[in-house]
Amino acid sequence: MADQVEYEFKKETISKLLTKSFTDNKTKVSGDAVILMCEILKVFVEEASRRAVKQATTEDGEQVDVEHFEKVLPQLLLDF
């Protein structure tokens, strides 16, 4: 089994992405909300990776390609 890689999203980047969707400039994002969103994104990416690996395995692939992610994303988006 492959080694697990630790990663995390930059809180500043996630905060900026969240605030871009607001229509009122006075709306703020709390630090806790940013931390929660980072965790949600981490779970989403991990699950997408697991499903893409499984897809590649079922197709007898030796590596995971973008096509494997494209095949699992519709189902993954429905689950979230």
Side-chain angles (χ1 to χ4, degrees):
M1 182 173 230
D3 294 330
Q4 281 200 317
V5 177
E6 281 295 317
Y7 62 91
E8 63 182 51
F9 292 95
K10 292 183 180 180
K11 291 177 181 78
E12 301 84 28
T13 304
I14 300 304
S15 179
K16 287 181 183 179
L17 287 171
L18 288 172
T19 56
K20 288 282 186 186
S21 65
F22 297 148
T23 55
D24 185 0
N25 291 338
K26 295 179 184 178
T27 306
K28 304 290 183 198
V29 177
S30 72
D32 288 342
V34 173
I35 291 170
L36 178 62
M37 192 63 188
C38 288
E39 286 301 313
I40 290 170
L41 286 171
K42 186 175 180 180
V43 169
F44 183 83
V45 169
E46 288 174 353
E47 184 63 21
S49 299
R50 283 187 191 103
R51 291 184 186 199
V53 167
K54 186 175 180 180
Q55 181 69 33
T57 303
T58 59
E59 294 177 5
D60 295 327
E62 292 186 12
Q63 67 181 23
V64 178
D65 294 322
V66 174
E67 292 80 20
H68 298 116
F69 279 100
E70 290 173 345
K71 289 179 180 176
V72 300
L73 275 178
Q75 180 186 14
L76 182 63
L77 292 172
L78 287 175
D79 289 347
F80 270 84

